[in-house]
Amino acid sequence: MLIEDDPGGRDLLCDVLTSQGCICRSFESAELALEALSHWQPHLILMDINLPGMDGIAATRQIKRNPDTSDIPVIAMSAHAMSQELSKFENVGFEQIFTKPYSYKLVIENLKKVLHSNVDKH
Amino acid sequence: MLCRRLKRYGYECRYYLNAKDALVHIDRLLPDILLLDIMMPEMDGIEMLTLLRQKYNALTLPVLMVTAKSARADVVQAFEADANDYIEKPIDFPVLVARIKTHLSRKRLDDQLSESRQLLEHHNKRLASASQHKTNFLFSMSHELRTPLNSILGYSEVLFDGLAGELNEKQSHYCKSIYDSGTYLLALINDLLDLSKIEEGKLELFQQPTNVEGLVKSVEDIINERAKNKGVIFNIEVESDLGNAVIDALRTKQILINLLSNAVKFTEQGKSVKLHILIEKQKLIFKIQDEGQGIAEEDLERIFLPFEQAHSALESQRINGTGLGLALVKRLVELHGGTVKIHSKVGQGSEFLVYLPYYPSDECYGDLIL
């Protein structure tokens, strides 16, 4: 599951993930994504932080509070590159944080790591 | 009589026969100076002065007391009640005018002073708010610029790697140009943002226990790629077990990447760049050595200034950089409480030494952020 309001970033990441054999569903707002989560369980969530309406931090807190979705790893993507900004992301429950712009190679490599370690846990 | 003479000297003058009448009008008139007789019916001059001083200090309302001849006790009392000056009766008119002049010119100076102080305070407030606006502006600009750059860099990278089908040589070359320019733009945005934050004293470090080897590894991946592209040999030498140290992981990474990419940039194909890491005397030391062309002695002091690059470097090779990298490195190291040193000889290469205070830790949190 990909949540990203910038259409360029959304299509690109979804295409890249699809080319790697993933099934990617993208949403342009946290509200739409949360609604979809009530009847769909993705293996991984890629969450943009700066979203219109509910932001990625609030959305992730909600995902982590819900026992149905709390096990799904969430990776944050943010264009705020300042250290003190990134400190806000602590204790939210993110598996990892990508700062934008990110290299898609790095994204794929790290998604694989997160997915594999998640499989190992089960 | 006195009032008439003063008017003849060009002063505007009003007189009242007792304290009560004067007090009624004084708030409205706000005189530049008050001539106050001590001996008055009902309320005497000292009493009136005491009342006035609750509202007007000696700067806003200078008061010149009129005392009887040789009435020393009155003079002392008048000064105790915060009178500015006194004159004895019978009044020597030229002396009175001289005193009035002196006090008026002092008051004028004081008025100007407080006026300019108010102006300064006002400007200060405006500057502070302008500076805040500038910071907010920079911050949102950085965010707004980064989002489209994400697409520019992402799509050109994907195209270049052939994920959307094979490109011919020309297309591939164009794609690489888009990617390189985007990367350069990103570096510029990052450096400018950081530098202006530091200049304003607004950049705070986020120091936490960080696995130093993990940090070096992530730097190694990036520099390896650049060195490989240029045919430069890159080696890392780690002395002893580094463990976890309390540092700002992101900023330390930035320091190392800046210095190492510089080293790679200024080193020719086939020559080598070395990173040597050691802990010595409570210091975490990074040595970055290159076999580049070196820096002339006259340039050594300037290279840490923003938008300065060594002349020798600019003339001999067409090397583009933002000119902000080293200025940033120096300030980031200093924020950590460390120092940067440089040794260089033209034709033999350069060595940058970064000394950070070393605080070991058993914990480690700093590997979450990429």
Side-chain angles (χ1 to χ4, degrees), chain B residues 26-76:
Chain B
I26 201 151
D27 289 336
R28 185 175 46 83
L29 291 171
L30 257 185
D32 288 329
I33 190 163
L34 179 69
L35 225 62
L36 183 55
D37 199 339
I38 287 194
M39 273 181 298
M40 285 191 297
E42 287 169 55
M43 188 189 287
D44 72 14
I46 300 288
E47 219 177 308
M48 178 173 168
L49 177 60
T50 311
L51 268 178
L52 281 173
R53 281 294 178 249
Q54 290 171 7
K55 215 168 172 184
Y56 306 104
N57 64 27
L59 291 180
T60 47
L61 179 63
V63 174
L64 192 55
M65 299 300 278
V66 182
T67 63
K69 193 164 180 66
S70 306
R72 295 174 63 202
D74 283 355
V75 172
V76 171

Side-chain angles (χ1 to χ4, degrees), chain B residues 162-348:
Chain B
L163 259 75
E166 277 303 309
L167 300 187
N168 67 35
E169 203 178 321
K170 208 168 195 178
Q171 290 165 332
S172 171
H173 175 71
Y174 290 169
C175 244
K176 180 88 170 53
S177 282
I178 297 172
Y179 185 77
D180 287 347
S181 300
T183 308
Y184 172 73
L185 196 57
L186 178 67
L188 199 61
I189 294 167
N190 287 344
D191 286 1
L192 268 175
L193 187 74
D194 286 348
L195 208 58
S196 63
K197 284 238 153 194
I198 293 173
E199 300 297 331
E200 276 181 71
K202 289 214 169 111
L203 192 133
E204 282 165 32
L205 293 184
F206 180 52
Q207 284 171 294
Q208 56 176 0
T210 303
N211 182 275
V212 181
E213 242 167 286
L215 178 98
V216 170
K217 180 80 184 65
S218 71
V219 172
E220 187 181 5
D221 289 346
I222 295 168
I223 300 302
N224 257 340
E225 173 100 14
R226 292 185 195 177
K228 208 172 70 190
N229 287 343
K230 216 190 152 183
V232 168
I233 304 147
F234 175 49
N235 286 313
I236 296 187
E237 197 178 307
V238 180
E239 204 164 286
S240 70
D241 181 24
L242 296 171
N244 302 325
V246 180
I247 45 173
D248 186 320
L250 217 64
R251 296 305 179 185
T252 308
K253 196 171 157 182
Q254 195 179 359
I255 292 167
L256 292 178
I257 289 178
N258 258 320
L259 289 176
L260 284 167
S261 2
N262 259 356
V264 170
K265 205 157 44 175
F266 290 106
T267 299
E268 282 168 45
Q269 190 175 0
K271 298 208 165 172
S272 74
V273 167
K274 207 167 94 183
L275 170 64
H276 185 191
I277 306 141
L278 63 155
I279 292 159
E280 203 179 87
K281 292 178 191 155
Q282 310 292 307
K283 296 261 188 284
L284 175 58
I285 306 169
F286 298 98
K287 282 187 196 174
I288 293 104
Q289 290 168 310
D290 67 52
E291 295 179 344
Q293 53 195 325
I295 301 160
E297 214 174 315
E298 66 262 26
D299 286 332
L300 280 179
E301 280 179 22
R302 289 190 310 115
I303 57 166
F304 287 109
L305 298 172
F307 291 117
E308 295 275 357
Q309 283 177 324
H311 276 305
S312 46
L314 289 177
E315 280 160 18
S316 58
Q317 274 176 291
R318 258 187 294 129
I319 283 167
N320 53 356
T322 61
L324 295 170
L326 285 179
L328 249 180
V329 164
K330 184 168 191 286
R331 283 164 178 78
L332 287 174
V333 171
E334 285 167 354
L335 273 177
H336 271 93
T339 47
V340 195
K341 281 187 193 157
I342 172 166
H343 304 300
S344 191
K345 269 213 175 107
V346 174
Q348 288 180 24

Side-chain angles (χ1 to χ4, degrees), chain A residues 6 8-9 11-12 16 19 50 79-87 90 94-105 110, chain B residues 139 142-143 146-147 149-151 153-155 157-158 161 163 186 190 193-194 197 202-204 206 208 248 250-251 368-370:
Chain A
D6 173 49
D11 295 348
L12 170 69
V16 167
S19 78
N50 229 12
H80 288 300
M82 312 298 295
S83 299
Q84 58 264 57
E85 278 299 306
L86 293 174
S87 66
E90 277 192 345
F94 292 120
E95 205 74 25
Q96 243 164 10
I97 298 158
F98 294 147
T99 52
K100 282 187 201 174
Y102 38 73
S103 155
Y104 78 89
K105 283 180 207 145
N110 284 283
Chain B
F139 198 73
S142 149
H143 184 270
R146 247 170 244 272
T147 304
L149 259 180
N150 199 37
S151 287
L153 289 175
Y155 281 115
E157 192 186 5
V158 164
D161 285 355
L163 259 75
L186 178 67
N190 287 344
L193 187 74
D194 286 348
K197 284 238 153 194
K202 289 214 169 111
L203 192 133
E204 282 165 32
F206 180 52
Q208 56 176 0
D248 186 320
L250 217 64
R251 296 305 179 185
L368 183 68
I369 296 161
L370 285 166

